[in-house]
Amino acid sequence: RIASRTVAMRHRARARLIARAAFVAMCAFAAASVAFAAARAGDGTTTTRALSSRKLLATASSTPLWTYGIIPFVAAAVGWGTNVLALRMTFFPLEFFPQCLAFAQVRGQPFGVLGGWQGIIPSKAGEMAGILVELMTKKLINVKEIFSYIDSKKISSIMRDEMTEVTEEMFETVMTREAQTFWETLPTPVKEQMIQQAIKQSSGLLEHIILDLKENIYEVLDLRSMVVNLALSNKDKVVKMFREVGAKEFTFIERSGIYFGFIFGLMQMVVFYFTDKHAPSSGIWLLPLFGFMVGYLTNWVALKVIFSPIEPKVVCGFKMHGVFMRRQVEVSAEFARLNSEHFCNAENLWTEMMHGTYKAEFEALVRRNADMFFEKTMGSSMKKIVLTVVGEETYMRIKNDIVDMMYEAIPRCVPVTYDYQDEALQIQPTVRDRMSKLPGKDFERVLHPVFEQDEIKLIVVGGILGALTGVAQYYIAFAA
């Protein structure tokens, strides 16, 4: 797994390097073209030919300066729009769209070979959930430790009423079905004594089950499988969790597009003004190129500023720290709350044990404790009497039926303890406190995986949209 992850990281790094090299090459090509066009502008014949084939509004005599002045504002709009779209593409749609092309979706990717898109987080919900589980189990919580906080006697006390009802119903049903004559001929005080003994022993049964769970929790609970399956079946909750944890960062991304776009637009305005005056034939590709640069750079800068630098640094007297990184305490509290609300809570933990990966192991644990419960309830003297009257085969049938009913009663009785367990397990305060103290490089992994694997796609999409806006801007404002 480590080897495959290392290879994947190398591929992603190579893809980023190629994309950035392509971007630099485009910029170099643009600069060379501007210089070439300016040089040719000195040739009167060339200039005359260019202007005769295309009349330009942006001439010294006809183009008002305010026309150039709109360039920074358009760039700001491009920066904002591409960043907003990038975030929308990160979270939505929850399922592949259009559905008719879902068969062609690349496995584990948000896009399809025939087109279409699924939000990055929904398309990688299971993978991202696995990353968070790895972070939690290695850095934040010890499953055996948190289960050690549960008081088995308290659980037994909370479940007493439910187990009393189940035990009475169970003995009456099984004994009537398997040994009706024997059961009906027993004196009422003897029946009641057996049932009361069973009820008393049922408290001990629950205590033993909880103690057994605490001791063997890794054999009956697969936390990774639980969280991954919950994420895959509840993509909306995964999206909600990331959006709420990073709400301020995502707002920053949207607004930063305006600021950075406007700054880049000022540079674009100056360059385009002089190019349009001295080499007007080059203007047709200059605005689209700058549009691409604005869309590309606003997305790239926004993502960089959120997570970098990981640790606080002082540069020229200013303290620099990633926007997300400086909110570690606040983010930790929000993450812990949402994690407990949607994923790591008592209800989900018990559902995983009863129906998940280690269902058979959990069932075996309950059955061996229920078997001991039955033997203690019967006692040696009553066991001899029952064996003598009904025979060993019937006795074993009674025992197996009661063990079956005890196992089947667990899902019905355990939910009344969820509130207590959520409080006792202390998952939320534990995750909150330990996450707030994580080193920066570990804390960064809470949100950065949302963008890391596919950030180059979002950045390039921003660049393409910026280029298209540049084409539209050129033909609307400067070309006739």
Side-chain angles (χ1 to χ4, degrees):
R1 187 168 60 182
I2 293 174
S4 62
R5 190 174 300 169
T6 302
V7 171
M9 290 176 63
R10 287 176 180 169
H11 285 318
R12 289 196 295 271
R14 191 177 299 120
R16 292 192 190 99
L17 184 61
I18 292 172
R20 287 167 188 167
F23 177 73
V24 172
M26 288 182 65
C27 293
F29 174 75
S33 298
V34 170
F36 179 71
R40 296 189 63 187
D43 183 349
T45 305
T46 303
T47 304
T48 303
R49 188 182 300 116
L51 292 176
S52 64
S53 62
R54 171 181 157 277
K55 182 180 178 182
L56 198 69
L57 289 179
T59 62
S61 59
S62 61
T63 304
L65 289 177
W66 67 262
T67 308
Y68 298 100
I70 68 172
I71 291 177
F73 296 96
V74 173
V78 170
W80 175 81
T82 54
N83 284 13
V84 169
L85 181 62
L87 290 178
R88 293 291 298 179
M89 293 176 68
T90 298
F91 296 114
F92 301 105
L94 295 178
E95 302 297 337
F96 192 84
F97 180 84
Q99 190 62 39
C100 60
L101 298 179
F103 70 92
Q105 183 178 8
V106 179
R107 184 177 180 83
Q109 295 296 329
F111 56 85
V113 294
L114 299 179
W117 185 264
Q118 180 183 13
I120 291 174
I121 289 180
S123 69
K124 298 177 180 288
E127 183 178 346
M128 291 182 179
I131 292 173
L132 291 181
V133 171
E134 189 172 352
L135 170 68
M136 284 196 297
T137 53
K138 288 185 176 181
K139 304 290 184 179
L140 303 178
I141 60 174
N142 180 298
V143 177
K144 194 165 187 176
E145 176 191 352
I146 63 173
F147 268 86
S148 70
Y149 300 147
I150 294 178
D151 185 340
S152 58
K153 293 185 183 296
K154 181 72 172 178
I155 292 280
S156 177
S157 173
I158 295 172
M159 291 176 64
R160 181 177 292 118
D161 291 343
E162 283 70 19
M163 289 305 295
T164 297
E165 181 182 343
V166 166
T167 304
E168 290 177 347
E169 177 188 344
M170 177 178 59
F171 262 82
E172 190 69 38
T173 301
V174 173
M175 295 302 288
T176 301
R177 183 176 67 228
E178 300 295 345
Q180 184 175 2
T181 303
F182 168 74
W183 186 247
E184 290 177 351
T185 56
L186 277 178
T188 301
V190 176
K191 287 183 183 179
E192 291 178 351
Q193 182 182 359
M194 286 184 64
I195 292 175
Q196 290 304 314
Q197 177 68 9
I199 292 172
K200 181 180 178 181
Q201 291 296 332
S202 67
S203 297
L205 166 64
L206 292 173
E207 290 181 30
H208 280 90
I209 288 176
I210 297 301
L211 290 171
D212 209 348
L213 276 176
K214 290 162 68 172
E215 187 63 30
N216 301 286
I217 189 63
Y218 290 115
E219 296 177 14
V220 295
L221 174 65
D222 186 344
L223 187 65
R224 180 184 178 86
S225 174
M226 180 194 81
V227 176
V228 169
N229 288 331
L230 283 170
L232 290 173
S233 57
N234 298 277
K235 297 185 180 76
D236 57 327
K237 292 182 179 179
V238 179
V239 167
K240 179 182 178 182
M241 183 172 181
F242 279 112
R243 292 187 77 188
E244 292 189 16
V245 167
K248 292 187 178 180
E249 284 67 42
F250 299 138
T251 299
F252 170 82
I253 288 177
E254 292 179 0
R255 293 177 180 174
S256 69
I258 300 174
Y259 311 140
F260 296 134
F262 189 82
I263 293 171
F264 295 144
L266 290 173
M267 295 184 287
Q268 176 184 0
M269 178 183 68
V270 173
V271 173
F272 182 77
Y273 175 81
F274 285 104
T275 301
D276 205 29
K277 295 301 181 183
H278 301 290
S281 61
S282 301
I284 192 169
W285 52 260
L286 193 61
L287 282 180
L289 175 64
F290 268 100
F292 179 88
M293 292 169 62
V294 169
Y296 185 102
L297 290 175
T298 51
N299 284 8
W300 182 80
V301 171
L303 292 176
K304 278 294 182 184
V305 171
I306 284 180
F307 299 107
S308 299
I310 291 177
E311 301 294 344
K313 293 181 180 179
V314 177
V315 179
C316 299
F318 293 96
K319 184 179 180 180
M320 308 294 289
H321 198 194
V323 175
F324 178 71
M325 308 305 296
R326 71 180 68 152
R327 287 203 312 122
Q328 184 163 350
V329 174
E330 182 183 347
V331 168
S332 298
E334 186 68 6
F335 177 88
R337 180 185 69 81
L338 292 167
N339 174 59
S340 297
E341 181 181 333
H342 297 306
F343 298 102
C344 294
N345 53 53
E347 180 179 1
N348 289 335
L349 291 170
W350 276 88
T351 299
E352 171 63 25
M353 288 189 288
M354 293 185 290
H355 307 292
T357 305
Y358 299 138
K359 175 185 176 181
E361 288 78 1
F362 175 79
E363 181 176 347
L365 182 148
V366 173
R367 286 183 178 278
R368 68 171 173 260
N369 283 280
D371 188 281
M372 290 188 289
F373 154 77
F374 179 82
E375 294 294 341
K376 286 183 179 179
T377 300
M378 295 301 291
S380 58
S381 57
M382 182 58 70
K383 179 178 180 179
K384 289 179 181 179
I385 295 173
V386 175
L387 281 170
T388 301
V389 175
V390 302
E392 185 175 357
E393 184 178 343
T394 301
Y395 175 84
M396 292 304 297
R397 207 160 51 237
I398 292 171
K399 178 180 177 179
N400 291 334
D401 286 349
I402 288 179
V403 169
D404 288 343
M405 293 183 72
M406 289 302 297
Y407 173 69
E408 292 166 2
I410 294 295
R412 204 164 81 221
C413 299
V414 166
V416 298
T417 70
Y418 287 162
D419 288 341
Y420 161 72
Q421 289 190 65
D422 282 332
E423 182 180 352
L425 291 170
Q426 299 184 44
I427 294 176
Q428 182 173 339
T430 300
V431 170
R432 180 193 63 217
D433 295 343
R434 293 181 182 176
M435 179 178 282
S436 65
K437 298 173 184 176
L438 281 176
K441 62 183 178 61
D442 293 325
F443 177 70
E444 182 234 13
R445 307 310 300 162
V446 175
L447 189 63
H448 202 178
V450 174
F451 302 101
E452 191 173 43
Q453 295 186 10
D454 293 277
E455 64 183 16
I456 191 63
K457 297 184 184 73
L458 298 177
I459 291 171
V460 170
V461 166
I464 293 172
L465 292 174
L468 294 175
T469 304
V471 172
Q473 181 184 7
Y474 175 78
Y475 279 104
I476 292 173
F478 294 99

